[in-house]
């Protein structure tokens, strides 16, 4: 591989931006494309060597893996969760009128259930002094030091109080945290940050378990999914020498509607396949990950 890696340059630029200027969670530091001319941006880079010769079975998730969602999906998640908070948990109705900001939050931000702060933590639990917010208000380094007495949290404190929003579905969730905190403070409503976290977690669970999000996307896949022209050629290469399976928490009818939009039957015909299902040796839906990995639930045919 080329010694110049785009990911490393972006990381270095991000670190530089953190200490030289202000940024929101979702902002990425700019990278001079002329400095990455040696780096093939179509490649996949790994921090460890993997000999693919010994990999005989490839597994895929559906959401945010085969299915690439756009900002409108995040807006839908935000809307469903906010409506749940207002309709079921008596949060202020004014929350409904806040517009979703796709550029505010980012995967991996953390919420402190004790202080209500949204922040970025590095691997050593150091707080990002320029990327800490209370609601939509940026918190100063002086305020952080006044609250915590330090810019580095202890391991036990993190384990007890910090909730990391660690997947891409958490991007709109981070925005919900900020909107809720901002609204409660503005309307002078007393609250406990830990119970706010529990309520938002319940609202996000409702987004997925109610079927509202899946139904909306299944009925209008062209509005929420971004087709990838490289998807089918990729499967052709993988299937030449490997077994392939799909493992997803989503229900079959949702996956079926999305995959039929992403991979057309007429494109499968030259491969001798009739349906997107023929691309996989096994398909597991409604998996309930992560419990699926250490559970012993029986498999049931869904069709």
């Amino acid at each position: 591989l080329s010694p110049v890696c785009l990911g490393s340059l972006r990381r270095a630029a991000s670190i530089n931006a953190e200490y030289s200027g202000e940024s929101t969670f979702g902002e990425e530091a700019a990278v001079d494309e002329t400095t990455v001319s040696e780096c093939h941006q179509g490649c996949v880079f790994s921090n460890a060597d993997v000999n693919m010769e010994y990999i005989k079975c490839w597994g895929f998730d559906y959401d945010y893996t085969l299915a690439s969602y756009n900002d409108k999906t995040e807006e839908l998640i935000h809307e469903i969760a906010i409506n749940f908070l207002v309709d079921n948990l008596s949060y202020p109705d004014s929350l409904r009128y806040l517009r979703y900001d796709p550029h505010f939050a980012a995967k991996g931000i953390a919420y402190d259930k004790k202080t209500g702060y949204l922040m970025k933590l590095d691997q050593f639990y150091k707080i990002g002094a320029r990327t800490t917010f209370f609601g939509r208000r940026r918190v100063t380094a002086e305020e952080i030091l006044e609250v915590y007495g330090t810019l580095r949290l202890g391991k036990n404190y993190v384990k007890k109080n910090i909730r990391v929003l660690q997947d891409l579905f958490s991007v709109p969730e981070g925005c919900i945290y900020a909107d809720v905190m901002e609204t409660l403070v503005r309307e002078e409503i007393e609250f406990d940050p830990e119970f706010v976290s529990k309520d938002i977690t319940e609202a996000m669970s409702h987004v997925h378990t109610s079927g509202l999000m899946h139904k909306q996307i299944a009925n209008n896949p062209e509005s929420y999914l971004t087709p990838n022209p490289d998807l089918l050629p990729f499967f052709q290469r993988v299937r030449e020498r490997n077994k392939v399976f799909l493992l997803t928490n989503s229900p079959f009818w949702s996956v079926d509607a999305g995959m039929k939009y992403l991979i057309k039957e007429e494109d499968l015909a030259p491969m001798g396949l009739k349906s997107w299902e023929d691309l996989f040796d096994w398909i597991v839906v409604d998996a309930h990950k992560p419990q699926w990995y250490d559970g012993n639930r029986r498999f049931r045919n869904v069709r």
Side-chain angles (χ1 to χ4, degrees):
L1 294 177
S2 164
V4 182
C5 177
L6 181 63
S8 297
L9 287 171
R10 281 181 173 156
R11 175 58 181 155
S14 176
I15 293 173
N16 180 65
E18 180 177 348
Y19 291 99
S20 62
E22 294 186 347
S23 63
T24 63
F25 293 121
E27 291 176 349
E28 290 188 8
V31 176
D32 183 356
E33 295 299 329
T34 62
T35 65
V36 294
S37 58
E38 298 180 44
C39 177
H40 193 300
Q41 296 186 34
C43 292
V44 175
F45 294 90
S46 173
N47 290 328
D49 292 333
V50 179
N51 190 336
M52 301 306 295
E53 181 180 357
Y54 299 103
I55 305 300
K56 302 301 181 183
C57 188
W58 288 48
F60 297 88
D61 198 354
Y62 173 71
D63 297 300
Y64 284 110
T65 304
L66 301 181
S68 297
Y69 295 114
N70 56 28
D71 289 348
K72 193 170 181 180
T73 305
E74 296 176 3
E75 186 178 351
L76 175 64
I77 293 171
H78 182 271
E79 178 185 346
I80 294 173
I82 289 293
N83 285 339
F84 179 85
L85 290 171
V86 174
D87 295 336
N88 297 275
L89 301 179
S90 301
Y91 276 73
D93 189 68
S94 57
L95 280 169
R96 298 188 202 269
Y97 304 100
L98 297 178
R99 298 190 62 181
Y100 173 65
D101 180 2
H103 306 294
F104 174 75
K107 175 183 175 182
I109 62 174
Y111 176 77
D112 188 335
K113 294 182 287 186
K114 187 174 182 180
T115 65
Y117 284 1
L118 276 172
M119 63 184 71
K120 276 187 177 180
L121 295 176
D122 66 13
Q123 65 268 40
F124 303 110
Y125 307 135
K126 184 177 183 298
I127 302 171
R130 298 183 183 274
T131 51
T132 300
F133 289 79
F134 185 69
R136 294 284 183 163
R137 181 180 66 85
R138 191 187 305 274
V139 180
T140 66
E142 291 74 19
E143 288 178 282
I144 296 172
L145 288 171
E146 183 178 348
V147 171
Y148 296 105
T150 178
L151 290 178
R152 180 172 283 115
L153 301 180
K155 184 176 181 180
N156 290 335
Y157 184 93
V158 170
K159 185 177 181 180
K160 181 179 179 181
N161 297 296
I162 298 299
R163 180 169 184 265
V164 180
L165 311 182
Q166 55 192 358
D167 60 32
L168 288 169
F169 281 119
S170 297
V171 175
E173 185 177 2
C175 194
I176 293 169
Y177 271 102
D179 288 340
V180 168
M181 302 296 286
E182 184 77 13
T183 300
L184 294 177
V185 171
R186 184 179 64 248
E187 300 193 10
E188 300 181 347
I189 299 174
E190 292 187 7
F191 62 91
D192 183 323
E194 183 171 1
F195 283 99
V196 169
S197 178
K198 291 180 179 179
D199 290 342
I200 293 177
T201 299
E202 184 179 353
M204 291 299 295
S205 176
H206 171 77
V207 170
H208 299 286
T209 59
S210 66
L212 293 175
M213 180 191 75
H214 293 114
K215 288 177 182 176
Q216 183 68 15
I217 296 173
N219 291 334
N220 305 277
E222 65 282 355
S223 297
Y224 300 99
L225 297 175
T226 303
N228 183 352
D230 296 324
L231 187 59
L232 191 55
F234 173 76
F235 270 112
Q236 286 180 292
R237 296 198 307 272
V238 171
R239 282 168 43 85
E240 289 177 358
R241 298 180 57 183
N242 304 277
K243 296 290 185 180
V244 183
F245 70 90
L246 174 64
L247 177 64
T248 174
N249 287 348
S250 296
F252 177 79
W253 54 265
S254 173
V255 177
D256 185 50
M259 290 299 292
K260 284 179 177 177
Y261 172 72
L262 296 171
I263 298 180
K264 302 293 191 285
E265 290 186 1
E266 55 267 28
D267 296 328
L268 291 167
M271 299 173 59
L273 306 177
K274 296 181 179 180
S275 166
W276 68 267
E277 297 175 55
D278 298 328
L279 292 170
F280 300 93
D281 295 281
W282 305 280
I283 297 174
V284 182
V285 296
D286 287 312
H288 296 282
K289 294 176 289 182
Q291 293 86 355
W292 186 88
Y293 295 107
D294 57 8
N296 56 2
R297 296 171 58 209
R298 292 184 179 183
F299 289 100
R300 295 177 173 84
N301 288 327
V302 295
R303 51 174 298 162

